[in-house]
């Protein structure tokens, strides 16, 4: 078998995305359309419960998206190229960085959990901000595969925006039902339409990136290749 524990941890993110997040996206979208159809219709056979089901599934989706993002980031900062393990091998690892990153994971998870429990607009804003900032700080740690030179087709950047939209959706869900002008509802529909497009792009770019992130037994050879976009030998590897 060519997979060790490190490789299995690497595959947790796409496994969770395929078996949990994407099915929930489909179900949440279905209930969103049902909710809107019931709201606009004069008479409808759609049950009243579709609205509450949509909210529950939306909250579950947001938690799942944040969760699998943190799984991917945890793998990257530890096992990724120039991550903690590689820094330890080259004697450049700083223990303080490890402690701060671990604390940032704890703060992000805690803030996301408290966001679901917060009642007032102020605290929802505070916990949403802390959760979003935590994800961003962790996302730009060494070891995370970002594709900065092609950010417009980057799984990382599409995913980062999608996570921010999910956190924002959880933060405003109470305002949607309290706003008689429907402004928050329109914002919710617009931003989550963008999020749906981003999720579709995530399926495409994530599949592509799986071909580029090597398994543990491939890494020693792949990491000898030239990834400098400004080099004339870009994307060339040493002869075996």
């Amino acid at each position: 078998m060519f997979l060790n524990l490190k490789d299995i941890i690497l595959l947790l993110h796409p496994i969770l995305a395929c078996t949990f997040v994407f099915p929930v996206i489909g179900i949440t979208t279905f209930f969103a359309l049902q909710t809107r159809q019931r709201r606009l219709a004069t008479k409808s056979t759609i049950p009243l419960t579709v609205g509450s089901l949509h909210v529950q599934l939306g909250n579950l989706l947001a938690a799942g998206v944040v969760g699998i993002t943190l799984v991917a980031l945890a793998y990257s900062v530890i096992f990724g190229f120039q991550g903690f393990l590689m820094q330890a091998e080259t004697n450049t690892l700083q223990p303080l960085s490890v402690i701060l990153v671990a604390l940032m994971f704890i703060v992000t998870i805690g803030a996301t959990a408290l966001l679901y429990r917060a009642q007032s607009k102020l605290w929802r804003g505070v916990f949403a901000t802390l959760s979003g900032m935590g994800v961003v700080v962790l996302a730009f740690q060494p070891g995370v595969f970002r594709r900065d030179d092609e950010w417009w087709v980057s799984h990382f950047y599409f995913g980062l925006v999608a996570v921010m939209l999910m956190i924002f959706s959880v933060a405003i869900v109470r305002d949607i039902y309290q706003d008689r002008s429907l402004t928050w509802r329109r914002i919710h529909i617009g931003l989550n339409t963008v999020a749906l497009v981003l999720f579709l792009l995530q399926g495409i770019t994530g599949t592509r990136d799986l071909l580029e992130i090597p398994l543990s037994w491939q890494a020693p050879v792949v990491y000898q290749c030239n990834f400098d976009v400004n080099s004339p030998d870009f994307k060339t590897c040493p002869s075996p």
Side-chain angles (χ1 to χ4, degrees):
M1 184 175 180
F2 293 108
L3 298 180
N4 58 23
L5 180 60
K6 176 183 174 182
D7 297 328
I8 294 172
I9 297 173
L10 167 65
L11 294 175
L12 274 180
H13 175 77
I15 288 171
L16 291 172
C18 293
T19 60
F20 176 74
V21 171
F22 279 102
V24 175
I25 290 172
I27 300 170
T28 304
T29 303
F30 171 78
F31 278 110
L33 295 173
Q34 291 278 289
T35 301
R36 181 165 178 78
Q37 183 177 340
R38 177 178 175 77
R39 188 183 306 115
L40 297 178
T42 305
K43 293 182 179 180
S44 177
T45 58
I46 300 173
L48 283 168
T49 55
V50 294
S52 60
L53 286 172
H54 171 61
V55 173
Q56 293 172 20
L57 286 166
N59 286 336
L60 181 64
L61 173 61
V65 170
V66 174
I68 68 166
T69 300
L70 293 178
V71 167
L73 293 176
Y75 173 87
S76 298
V77 298
I78 297 172
F79 299 106
F81 182 64
Q82 297 181 346
F84 287 158
L85 288 184
M86 187 172 289
Q87 292 174 37
E89 292 172 357
T90 57
N91 295 320
T92 59
L93 180 63
Q94 298 180 356
L96 181 60
S97 298
V98 179
I99 295 172
L100 290 176
V101 168
L103 288 174
M104 189 56 65
F105 272 104
I106 294 172
V107 169
T108 304
I109 294 170
T112 304
L114 290 171
L115 172 60
Y116 282 90
R117 300 181 64 85
Q119 300 293 324
S120 70
K121 185 179 295 186
L122 172 62
W123 285 112
R124 279 184 280 127
V126 169
F127 291 130
T129 301
L130 287 174
S131 178
M133 287 179 60
V135 172
V136 171
V137 170
L138 292 169
F140 286 92
Q141 295 300 310
V144 179
F145 184 65
R146 289 188 290 269
R147 197 183 292 272
D148 290 331
D149 57 312
E150 295 178 329
W151 59 267
W152 58 92
V153 289
S154 169
H155 184 76
F156 168 84
Y157 287 106
F158 289 160
L160 189 60
V161 175
V163 171
M164 295 300 111
L165 291 176
M166 290 295 98
I167 293 173
F168 183 73
S169 292
V170 175
I172 68 169
V173 67
R174 294 180 185 274
D175 298 313
I176 292 173
Y177 289 95
Q178 296 171 359
D179 181 18
R180 295 184 179 275
S181 69
L182 303 181
T183 301
W184 282 113
R185 190 181 302 278
R186 295 189 184 100
I187 292 173
H188 172 76
I189 293 172
L191 292 181
N192 281 277
T193 300
V194 174
L196 181 60
V197 174
L198 289 173
F199 285 132
L200 294 175
L201 293 173
Q202 286 298 84
I204 298 170
T205 57
T207 305
R208 176 205 59 200
D209 285 0
L210 281 176
L211 297 174
E212 297 191 22
I213 300 176
L215 297 173
S216 58
W217 61 274
Q218 301 168 327
V221 175
V222 173
Y223 287 153
Q224 293 181 54
C225 301
N226 189 339
F227 297 105
D228 183 3
V229 294
N230 298 315
S231 171
D233 298 325
F234 178 52
K235 290 186 178 179
T236 60
C237 301
S239 299

